[in-house]
Amino acid sequence: MAKGARDNFLIGLLLLTVFVGLAMWFTAQPDKAVPSVDKGELDLEDWDYRNHGIFGLDGEWEFYPNQLLMPGETSDNKGYIAVPGKWDGWQDRDGRAMSGMGYGTYRLVIQNAPEGQMLAISKNYVRFSDKLYIGGVEGGQSGQPGVSRAQYTPRNVPYVAYFPSQGNEIEILLQTANFDFKNGGIAESLSLGIGKELQVKKSIQVGLELMGAIIPMISAMLIFCLYLWFHRNSLLLLFGVYFFFIAVSVITNGERLFLQFFPDIPFELAFKIKTVSVFITPALLFILSWKLFRRSGVRMLFLSSALFNFAYCVVIVIFPFRVYSYAQDIMYLGITLIYLVLIGYLFLAYLRQQFGILDKRQFQLYFAAVWSHLLLDLNVILSNENLTSALLNNMIFIFFLVTIALLLIHQYVGAYTSMKQLTNQLQIADRMKDEFLLITSHELNTPLNGIMNLSQALLKEPFKKSAEQEMKDKLRFIRNTAYRMSNMVNDIIDAARIKDGKLKVDLKQVDLVACVSVVMEVFGFLAKGKNTQLTHRISPEARYIIADENRLIQVLYNSINYSLRHIQDGIVSIRSRREGHNILIHIESSGSGPQEVNDAIVGEEPEADNSFALGLSIANELTELMGGKFGPNETDGTLEIALPEASESLMEIAAGNEESVHPFAGNVIPEPRQAKEGASKILIASADPVDVEHLYGMLTSEGYEAYCAGTDKEAYAQVTRMDRPDLVLIDVMLPGDNGYELCRRIRQHFTQAEMPVLLIGTRNTSADIEAGISAGGSDFITRPLDPGEIRVRVNTLLSMKRLVKEAAVNEMAFLRSQIKPHFLYNALGTIMSLCYTDGVRAGELLSIFSRYLRIIFHLDNTEETVNLSKEMELIQAYVDIEKARFGDRVRVEFDVDKELLGCQVMPLTIEPLVENAIRHGVSKKLSGGTVRLTIHQEGEFVRVVVEDDGIGMTAEQVRAIMEVGKQEQGVGFRNITRRVAHMTGRTPVVESERGVGTKVTIWLPLAYS
């Protein structure tokens, strides 16, 4: 507010208001130097006509109600009435009140008039017919006063009556009649003065009104011509109509020149034109305000007021004056109140710098015009009540015309300047046309030659002699140059769309972190080639913006591409910060300054770069289309992108380091649909409701079981569940971390065969596809999504997974077959040792061993699971053999939930753990020990714990068996770890302490046949 209070424009409006107020106050003060009418008499003996040549005949006149007296006639039914003033409600001697519609005679006697002077009386507004007699002679007439409506003719035309000063007394009679308006009488002061001075005053008034009518009429004609011949703009047409009715209003009010120009026009038609022009001008002004300020909350009030005024104008056209005139006062009051609301809105809008479709200067001129219009209306009301001078109306109206004229001139100058700039731009574009073709041909030809030369060199060089890294470097260069060509062609296409005005942007809330991450994924290989590091520091408070997601990525592409072209062995960093209601994105690198970037933006990059500077100019255009600004920071030379911030709720969520929720995340989960039994399960990880609905409907119609996730955390939770999907579709712009990062996290637990990932991107350039494949994606598709392509790719990935799964089953059978000889060797060794010492015991062990072999030989190596009861039977057989071998040194305890004996487990998964606990734990301890096997349910898993109090292991030994690459035990625990992780995704836990014992915990899926 303080800033607005110091504004020169507002100070000027305040001074104007003070000046007009002082002028109103000054003109409202009675002039004590002029005589006044008292009891129907006016004594001019002390009149200084040389210094005060004109004055108003205000005071108490004799009044004869309901009588039309002729000169020389008199009547006892008389009284005194204030002039100017209304006669309705005036009471005669008998107490009878005068109604607004009626007739009467005003009488004034002038005494001691200056001898030898030509005097004049000016009559302006008497309702609604009158005849003036001066010294017994008719001086003027407007209409025909009568004692009834039939004998009365309304007219109300101003006139001046001249008469010589003769004798000591001059009788003034004014017959009046009114049968059309609710109020009768003399509405404005009659003026008396020296004839010449009054004539000059009248001429000045007529001249001012003619000027006030001609200027708006000429402006209206010019605007109509511009509208018809050049620019059919509705605002232009409204201004033209507005000026036309202002001109009509001027010549039908005041001196009512319209009635003087057309003396034969009927009263009703003349006053319909007058009244319509008075009420239609504010209606048009309200319509203009409604169209100029389209984001205002009160604009509907302006439209409603305008429509109400238009409706009243229709009433004026249809009904006679005596009917529609009853509502005039209420309409005047309503219009004044709407003017006050409009002034208040314009004042607040100016303080907030909200100018609608106008610029600041145009808004100031429009504000001044509306303000002066309000002052004019107020003074008209006060002058009609004879509180101020009507001459002040002319001054305010002239100021109003000046402001409107300046507004139109400013618009014309702006249009002329724009046309001049456009002409210069067209001339520059014409000169650049040939240069464009030449430079573009050079830009396309140079990388093509490089690709051809490198390819030819690779073909000629024997592959066995070619260094692998050198080949990769050459292929990478080929890829980079081809990608550069692709980007440049896309930018040229966008430049053409921008020029034609066909490029559209879809503004919505966008996660800046996701966009930056995607761009860095694509440009990672280019940065490595220049030994440059890409980093970003996106502030949580400056993370969410309003932009077009695809176009923002394109802006970041071109900006980083420019930075990488101008840097070597450095760092390119992206950071963001919040400033007011904008988010500022800084792209910082060493080697480029503000002037260099400015030249690039306008298409004048240094010649040493030898490239067509289209990238940054396209980035600038796209940023402006999204409502932002693009350019260099003058202080540090960084590229700066300013875009509007998103909603406060997303800002607060990011600032609080809470889980980022996409604005559509809550609405992307469609209603579940029935899938075929045994159908493949597909997870759709996307926050785009349109894509989710499209993919969900297409997949379910194909018989798949589809379900959705709106964030990266939700998708990761679905993937790591026991009931995991068979295939995942991931949007690379997934909220939170991006889709690339989610894909990497999935690959930490699942191979390409175990969990295929189909990435959904926005661009199909080779760099985008490479970034997706490098992140662990199995395949890559781009928007717009094609159902046929998606079906083929999904079927291909699922078919590959089935083939790999069949191969994995055969591999598991092979792994189990590896375990059998291992155990057979150990068991036979035990029996052979007993044959030499205890033959009976050896026979018992052979019986147990035969039972064990019967179990083993009946196992189907292609079965993925067996009942837990069979696994326990196998474990019991092995334990009996080991107890026979080690005697009381080995003790085995079982704590198995009997309700789980019917569940399905992977065969030979628990038994090797018990075997390791006996052989490597308690058997190596001189005093022996106890092995405890615990099997219980834990949620959706079966928790298996094998613990012993044997010799234990060191931390290094535990770390060695957990790291697959360092194991030296062959199969054993490595096979178990692979099989369990393959089925559950949960890694076994090994806890051990030297001399205390070991505890191994694994989780198996809880499933029943």
Side-chain angles (χ1 to χ4, degrees):
M1 182 67 70
K3 181 179 179 181
R6 295 192 300 269
D7 191 278
N8 291 333
F9 169 72
L10 294 180
I11 294 175
L13 277 188
L14 179 61
L15 293 177
L16 171 66
T17 306
V18 172
F19 173 77
V20 173
L22 291 175
M24 291 180 179
W25 176 83
F26 180 77
T27 57
Q29 301 302 311
D31 189 353
K32 297 181 180 180
V34 299
S36 61
V37 179
D38 183 31
K39 301 294 184 180
E41 296 182 355
L42 177 64
D43 190 352
L44 300 181
E45 183 177 1
D46 298 327
W47 178 33
D48 182 8
Y49 62 87
R50 291 181 177 85
N51 296 321
H52 301 86
I54 302 173
F55 64 93
L57 297 176
D58 298 343
E60 289 186 328
W61 286 45
E62 286 185 6
F63 182 62
Y64 298 86
N66 299 319
Q67 301 175 68
L68 297 178
L69 299 181
M70 296 297 294
E73 295 182 355
T74 184
S75 172
D76 294 334
N77 185 17
K78 69 175 183 177
Y80 298 99
I81 190 170
V83 174
K86 300 177 289 186
W87 69 34
D88 43 308
W90 182 85
Q91 294 181 350
D92 60 12
R93 293 178 179 178
D94 299 330
R96 291 174 295 184
M98 185 85 173
S99 66
M101 295 187 182
Y103 57 95
T105 302
Y106 290 85
R107 183 174 182 270
L108 172 66
V109 176
I110 300 177
Q111 299 175 349
N112 301 317
E115 293 289 340
Q117 294 292 330
M118 177 62 70
L119 304 180
I121 293 178
S122 172
K123 191 253 5 177
N124 192 40
Y125 206 113
V126 175
R127 297 187 179 108
F128 249 103
S129 64
D130 63 88
K131 182 180 290 187
L132 178 66
Y133 292 94
I134 303 174
V137 179
E138 181 179 339
Q141 180 177 354
S142 176
Q144 179 61 52
V147 297
S148 64
R149 183 183 297 277
Q151 299 176 356
Y152 144 90
T153 304
R155 189 64 178 171
N156 197 18
V157 178
Y159 57 83
V160 178
Y162 297 90
F163 62 96
S165 175
Q166 297 176 352
N168 292 329
E169 291 187 355
I170 302 175
E171 181 187 47
I172 308 296
L173 283 181
L174 182 65
Q175 298 177 350
T176 62
N178 169 49
F179 293 97
D180 284 289
F181 195 63
K182 62 181 180 178
N183 304 126
I186 301 175
E188 293 184 10
S189 298
L190 280 73
S191 297
L192 173 66
I194 304 300
K196 291 182 178 179
E197 293 188 18
L198 199 57
Q199 183 179 10
V200 170
K201 178 183 177 182
K202 206 72 171 178
S203 300
I204 292 174
Q205 180 69 24
V206 171
L208 289 174
E209 291 189 6
L210 281 175
M211 180 181 68
I214 292 173
I215 292 177
M217 186 62 71
I218 293 175
S219 300
M221 294 175 63
L222 289 175
I223 291 174
F224 287 146
C225 292
L226 289 175
Y227 176 81
L228 293 173
W229 295 339
F230 297 102
H231 187 42
R232 293 185 178 271
N233 188 332
S234 59
L235 277 175
L236 202 62
L237 181 62
L238 277 175
F239 268 110
V241 176
Y242 179 69
F243 283 126
F244 173 78
F245 279 103
I246 280 187
V248 175
S249 176
V250 170
I251 62 173
T252 55
N253 287 276
E255 293 296 323
R256 290 179 285 286
L257 300 176
F258 181 74
L259 294 177
Q260 299 182 35
F261 294 154
F262 303 98
D264 297 329
I265 190 171
F267 170 82
E268 282 290 344
L269 177 58
F271 268 74
K272 285 182 187 297
I273 295 174
K274 170 185 178 297
T275 313
V276 166
S277 66
V278 168
F279 286 100
I280 206 169
T281 48
L284 292 170
L285 187 64
F286 297 152
I287 287 289
L288 284 170
S289 302
W290 175 71
K291 292 185 73 67
L292 290 174
F293 309 105
R294 298 176 179 175
R295 295 186 178 181
S296 167
V298 297
R299 64 190 301 263
M300 294 308 298
L301 177 63
F302 302 147
L303 178 62
S304 303
S305 303
L307 295 178
F308 194 77
N309 275 24
F310 288 139
Y312 183 64
C313 291
V314 174
V315 172
I316 293 172
V317 173
I318 296 175
F319 294 96
F321 177 78
R322 63 178 178 273
V323 175
Y324 65 76
S325 61
Y326 278 98
Q328 279 188 358
D329 292 342
I330 298 176
M331 293 297 297
Y332 282 132
L333 178 61
I335 290 172
T336 304
L337 293 176
I338 299 300
Y339 269 126
L340 292 174
V341 173
L342 177 57
I343 289 295
Y345 165 73
L346 292 176
F347 179 74
L348 293 177
Y350 184 75
L351 293 182
R352 297 170 182 168
Q353 302 293 298
Q354 298 173 352
F355 305 132
I357 64 175
L358 303 176
D359 61 29
K360 184 176 181 179
R361 185 63 63 192
Q362 290 174 336
F363 185 91
Q364 289 175 338
L365 292 171
Y366 186 76
F367 192 178
V370 175
W371 184 257
S372 60
H373 205 298
L374 176 62
L375 295 178
L376 177 63
D377 289 346
L378 290 176
N379 195 71
V380 167
I381 295 174
L382 294 176
S383 62
N384 288 339
E385 297 295 329
N386 298 287
L387 299 177
T388 61
S389 172
L391 290 175
L392 189 58
N393 295 336
N394 298 322
M395 298 174 58
I396 302 175
F397 184 72
I398 289 174
F399 179 81
F400 168 76
L401 288 180
V402 169
T403 55
I404 290 293
L406 289 176
L407 175 61
L408 292 176
I409 290 172
H410 187 276
Q411 289 181 329
Y412 170 78
V413 171
Y416 175 77
T417 304
S418 300
M419 291 177 62
K420 188 175 180 180
Q421 292 176 350
L422 182 59
T423 301
N424 292 334
Q425 292 175 0
L426 291 174
Q427 291 174 349
I428 294 173
D430 186 59
R431 290 196 303 267
M432 291 180 63
K433 180 180 63 177
D434 295 334
E435 297 178 11
F436 169 80
L437 295 175
L438 179 62
I439 297 175
T440 304
S441 301
H442 172 74
E443 280 297 312
L444 292 175
N445 191 47
T446 300
L448 282 174
N449 287 332
I451 291 174
M452 290 186 294
N453 293 336
L454 288 172
S455 303
Q456 187 67 25
L458 288 174
L459 290 173
K460 290 182 177 180
E461 187 175 359
F463 286 103
K464 62 181 181 178
K465 295 182 181 180
S466 177
E468 181 181 356
Q469 187 60 42
E470 184 180 353
M471 288 183 62
K472 288 182 177 180
D473 291 341
K474 292 180 179 179
L475 291 173
R476 187 179 293 110
F477 183 78
I478 291 175
R479 178 199 60 193
N480 293 351
T481 52
Y483 172 71
R484 183 184 176 188
M485 291 172 57
S486 175
N487 267 354
M488 188 180 66
V489 171
N490 290 334
D491 286 340
I492 292 173
I493 294 173
D494 285 341
R497 290 176 178 172
I498 292 173
K499 183 179 179 182
D500 295 338
K502 297 180 180 179
L503 185 63
K504 305 297 182 182
V505 292
D506 180 20
L507 298 180
K508 60 182 179 180
Q509 291 174 332
V510 176
D511 186 353
L512 185 57
V513 171
C515 294
V516 171
S517 301
V518 169
V519 174
M520 286 192 167
E521 287 286 344
V522 173
F523 278 97
F525 63 89
L526 290 176
K528 290 179 182 178
K530 292 201 165 207
N531 195 25
T532 298
Q533 182 181 358
L534 294 178
T535 63
H536 76 81
R537 299 188 303 277
I538 303 300
S539 171
E541 296 182 353
R543 175 172 178 174
Y544 294 96
I545 59 177
I546 299 298
D548 184 313
E549 191 173 72
N550 294 337
R551 298 304 176 187
L552 175 60
I553 290 179
Q554 189 171 356
V555 170
L556 294 174
Y557 266 49
N558 292 342
S559 303
I560 295 180
N561 183 46
Y562 174 84
S563 299
L564 287 176
R565 289 208 312 269
H566 294 81
I567 192 173
Q568 181 73 33
D569 300 329
I571 297 176
V572 175
S573 64
I574 303 177
R575 53 187 171 88
S576 68
R577 62 184 176 90
R578 188 177 181 183
E579 184 176 282
H581 295 289
N582 289 330
I583 300 299
L584 299 184
I585 306 167
H586 294 272
I587 302 176
E588 183 176 2
S589 62
S590 58
S592 60
Q595 183 58 43
E596 189 175 339
V597 178
N598 267 327
D599 293 341
I601 291 175
V602 299
E604 298 177 358
E605 284 194 50
E607 294 181 2
D609 188 64
N610 198 23
S611 65
F612 181 66
L614 189 62
L616 291 191
S617 61
I618 291 297
N620 181 40
E621 295 285 351
L622 292 177
T623 305
E624 290 180 355
L625 282 176
M626 294 186 288
K629 294 182 179 179
F630 181 92
N633 187 300
E634 297 296 336
T635 57
D636 54 14
T638 61
L639 277 174
E640 186 175 89
I641 305 168
L643 289 168
E645 68 176 0
S647 64
E648 290 292 336
S649 58
L650 288 180
M651 290 291 183
E652 293 172 0
I653 290 174
N657 291 325
E658 298 179 4
E659 181 178 352
S660 299
V661 181
H662 195 276
F664 303 117
N667 301 325
V668 299
I669 308 298
E671 293 294 328
R673 303 176 188 173
Q674 190 66 33
K676 298 178 181 178
E677 184 177 356
S680 298
K681 291 176 286 188
I682 300 178
L683 173 64
I684 305 170
S686 175
D688 189 326
V690 177
D691 286 350
V692 169
E693 182 62 28
H694 175 61
L695 291 170
Y696 187 83
M698 186 201 68
L699 294 174
T700 52
S701 65
E702 292 292 319
Y704 298 111
E705 180 183 348
Y707 52 102
C708 310
T711 64
D712 63 325
K713 293 184 178 180
E714 186 181 349
Y716 184 72
Q718 295 280 1
V719 171
T720 54
R721 287 176 49 187
M722 180 61 199
D723 187 21
R724 67 178 61 90
D726 297 301
L727 174 67
V728 184
L729 276 71
I730 300 179
D731 186 353
V732 297
M733 300 302 298
L734 195 64
D737 295 333
N738 57 48
Y740 293 127
E741 187 61 31
L742 174 61
C743 190
R744 288 194 185 92
R745 294 172 63 190
I746 292 175
R747 286 293 166 255
Q748 292 176 1
H749 301 281
F750 304 99
T751 65
Q752 293 272 6
E754 294 168 348
M755 184 62 65
V757 174
L758 179 58
L759 292 173
I760 304 172
T762 55
R763 293 163 66 101
N764 60 350
T765 63
S766 57
D768 287 279
I769 297 174
E770 180 177 344
I773 301 302
S774 300
S778 306
D779 207 342
F780 196 92
I781 57 175
T782 57
R783 295 182 178 90
L785 301 178
D786 179 69
E789 180 185 6
I790 295 173
R791 291 190 191 98
V792 171
R793 294 183 185 272
V794 168
N795 289 332
T796 300
L797 291 176
L798 291 176
S799 298
M800 292 177 61
K801 180 176 180 177
R802 281 194 298 270
L803 293 174
V804 173
K805 186 176 181 180
E806 293 175 2
V809 170
N810 294 330
E811 183 184 5
M812 289 298 106
F814 171 73
L815 293 176
R816 292 204 300 268
S817 68
Q818 282 186 308
I819 293 175
K820 290 177 185 178
H822 178 73
F823 173 71
L824 290 176
Y825 173 78
N826 293 333
L828 289 175
T830 300
I831 295 173
M832 287 173 62
S833 64
L834 289 175
C835 287
Y836 293 103
T837 58
D838 189 350
V840 176
R841 183 58 179 162
E844 293 176 357
L845 287 180
L846 283 173
S847 175
I848 295 172
F849 185 59
S850 65
R851 177 162 56 91
Y852 171 81
L853 291 177
R854 185 173 64 252
I855 295 172
I856 290 297
F857 291 151
H858 280 83
L859 286 177
D860 186 354
N861 286 337
T862 62
E863 290 183 353
E864 292 189 21
T865 59
V866 297
N867 285 341
L868 178 60
S869 58
K870 284 189 176 182
E871 185 76 4
M872 290 303 301
E873 185 178 358
L874 183 62
I875 293 171
Q876 186 65 57
Y878 174 77
V879 168
D880 289 343
I881 294 174
E882 294 296 67
K883 280 185 177 181
R885 179 182 177 188
F886 294 104
D888 294 337
R889 291 177 57 209
V890 175
R891 295 175 296 278
V892 180
E893 298 178 358
F894 296 99
D895 181 11
V896 180
D897 188 349
K898 293 183 179 179
E899 294 183 358
L900 297 176
L901 293 176
C903 74
Q904 298 291 305
V905 297
M906 292 178 290
L908 295 176
T909 301
I910 305 175
E911 188 272 340
L913 297 179
V914 176
E915 178 183 350
N916 286 338
I918 294 175
R919 295 186 66 249
H920 301 292
V922 298
S923 65
K924 292 185 178 181
K925 193 175 181 180
L926 293 178
S927 60
T930 302
V931 176
R932 182 177 179 83
L933 173 62
T934 304
I935 303 177
H936 288 284
Q937 181 177 348
E938 185 180 279
E940 59 182 0
F941 297 102
V942 175
R943 184 170 179 266
V944 179
V945 180
V946 179
E947 54 185 326
D948 64 79
D949 54 1
I951 62 174
M953 295 182 289
T954 63
E956 290 75 13
Q957 290 175 315
V958 173
R959 193 179 305 111
I961 67 171
M962 295 301 293
E963 295 180 12
V964 177
K966 295 185 178 181
Q967 291 189 63
E968 300 175 356
Q969 301 298 325
V971 288
F973 195 75
R974 177 179 58 187
N975 289 338
I976 295 172
T977 302
R978 287 183 57 192
R979 293 160 68 192
V980 170
H982 177 75
M983 294 297 293
T984 65
R986 302 188 66 171
T987 304
V989 176
V990 179
E991 304 171 72
S992 185
E993 185 177 350
R994 193 69 174 175
V996 177
T998 302
K999 179 180 178 180
V1000 179
T1001 305
I1002 66 172
W1003 289 267
L1004 301 175
L1006 177 61
Y1008 292 88
S1009 58

